[in-house]
Each structure stands twice: as structure tokens, then as C-alpha cells.
Amino acid sequence: MLLRRLIVSLLAVLPLLVPVAAHAHVEKHPDPRWQFYTSDHHWYRSPWFGGQHQIMIGFGCNGSPWYDHSPACPGRQGFHHGIDVAMPCGTILRAGHRGTVLARSAPGTPGAAYGVNPFRIRIRTAGVRYDVLIAHTRTVYVKPGDHVRRGQLIARASDSGAPDGCHLHFEVRPHGGGYTTAIDPRRWLQLRLA
Ligand SMILES: [Zn+2]
């Protein structure tokens, strides 16, 4: 009886002893809906999210089926106004820069394609104001008017409004601009190789 109990205890701790480094980059729960439309297969960290993840769709023209054809893009390609980072549902999102949460009704209100609970953080850098749009979230921990500090927990990744699974849509617009004014948000996302 004692021996059996000992064996059961050993089996319980065995997984803790197996090295995990060989597959450290493999998502524990890859979303079966994810489809990657970029040749960049690196894994990245960012002050805006927990863990390490891959870019699913980059900024600009791309061949995914999710966007209407844009005259600015070759062939049938559409234009993506942000960067999509694939991450499991519930992944924590943090403020990568201090700023102020905008009212939903402020100029440039995100449309339904951004999900039920998108929000914008107005940041000021080098004297210029930009609005960072965080989309496809359901659970959001900040409210309009809140001043957020860098590193603060702001939301969790979800799939609200996203046919291609849970991910962070990260978009940057000049102060008060609509989606057509979005600029390449990469420098604000502060990606670094994992
Ligand atoms: Zn997107």
C-alpha cells in the first residue's frame, strides 16, 4: 500500500522533471482558427502582452480573406490597418506606454469589426499624440478617462469580432483619426525576439 502511494506520488511529479526547453515556443493551446499571412515566423515578446507569440497578419496589404479588396494593394489583396498577434484566448494585455483611455464616442470610434469592446489609449510621445487601438477584447480592466501606467494590466485577448480566432489587433492612429489614417504600428508595439 505504501509502495503504491509512493509510485502514485512519483508519477504526479514526473511531468515537472521533464525538460520543457525543447518546445518552449510551442503554444500550449494553439487556436485551430488561426491562419498566418506573413513570412515572419519569429516569436516575439512585447510590453503590450504576456508570453511570446507570432504575428498572424502584418500591417498593410495582405492576401487574407478577411478584408475587402483595396485599390492600394496588388491583385485581390486587402489592407490591414494594424498588426495581428496570435495568442491564446485570455492572454493578458498590458499598457506598453502610459496614456489615457479614450471615450468610445471620441472621434474615430472603432466599428463593429473590432468586436464588442475595443478601446483606445491616447499616448503622447515626442510631443505628438497618437491613439493606440486594442481590439477583439471582451474583458477590459480599464474605463474611459483612466490614466494607465506602463505595465498596467488592461485587458485579455479574445476573439470578439474576429473570425480567425483569439488575437490582439494592435492599431495606431494619429490623434482622433479614423481607421483610414492608421499608420504602421510596429514601433509602438515594441516587439523583441523571444
Ligand atoms: Zn487585425
Side-chain angles (χ1 to χ4, degrees):
M1 193 62 190
L2 186 65
L3 181 64
R4 187 191 289 175
R5 211 177 282 171
L6 187 65
I7 289 171
V8 168
S9 309
L10 278 174
L11 286 175
V13 300
L14 200 59
L16 303 176
L17 304 175
V18 175
V20 293
H23 298 288
H25 282 167
V26 177
E27 294 282 5
K28 285 198 191 78
H29 305 289
D31 195 318
R33 297 167 295 176
W34 286 343
Q35 292 183 49
F36 294 81
Y37 293 92
T38 168
S39 57
D40 180 357
H41 301 303
H42 290 106
W43 293 80
Y44 291 103
R45 292 185 182 280
S46 162
W48 290 93
F49 52 74
Q52 48 199 8
H53 309 288
Q54 289 179 297
I55 294 173
M56 188 154 62
I57 304 177
F59 174 83
C61 299
N62 70 92
S64 83
W66 316 122
Y67 314 102
D68 292 336
H69 167 64
S70 165
C73 298
R76 300 300 311 160
Q77 291 193 1
F79 196 93
H80 185 220
H81 294 91
I83 292 178
D84 285 354
V85 184
M87 55 186 68
C89 307
T91 300
I92 58 170
L93 303 177
R94 297 184 182 281
H97 196 286
R98 68 189 164 93
T100 307
V101 180
L102 291 184
R104 180 81 181 252
S105 59
T109 298
Y114 292 92
V116 295
N117 215 1
F119 62 101
R120 291 168 289 167
I121 299 176
R122 178 154 296 169
I123 64 175
R124 185 191 295 265
T125 176
V128 184
R129 285 177 292 182
Y130 293 93
D131 297 336
V132 173
L133 169 53
I134 304 288
H136 304 312
T137 48
R138 281 197 182 83
T139 304
V140 174
Y141 300 113
V142 293
K143 60 184 188 308
D146 281 358
H147 297 288
V148 296
R149 55 178 167 71
R150 183 180 159 96
Q152 182 174 335
L153 178 64
I154 52 173
R156 288 184 183 272
S158 182
D159 57 1
S160 177
D164 50 346
C166 287
H167 68 274
L168 163 65
H169 172 94
F170 185 89
E171 183 172 321
V172 174
R173 307 165 173 183
H175 175 198
Y179 72 92
T180 57
T181 69
I183 56 174
D184 188 341
R186 194 162 177 119
R187 67 171 265 229
W188 281 270
L189 192 51
Q190 305 167 67
L191 296 173
R192 57 184 192 278
L193 287 172

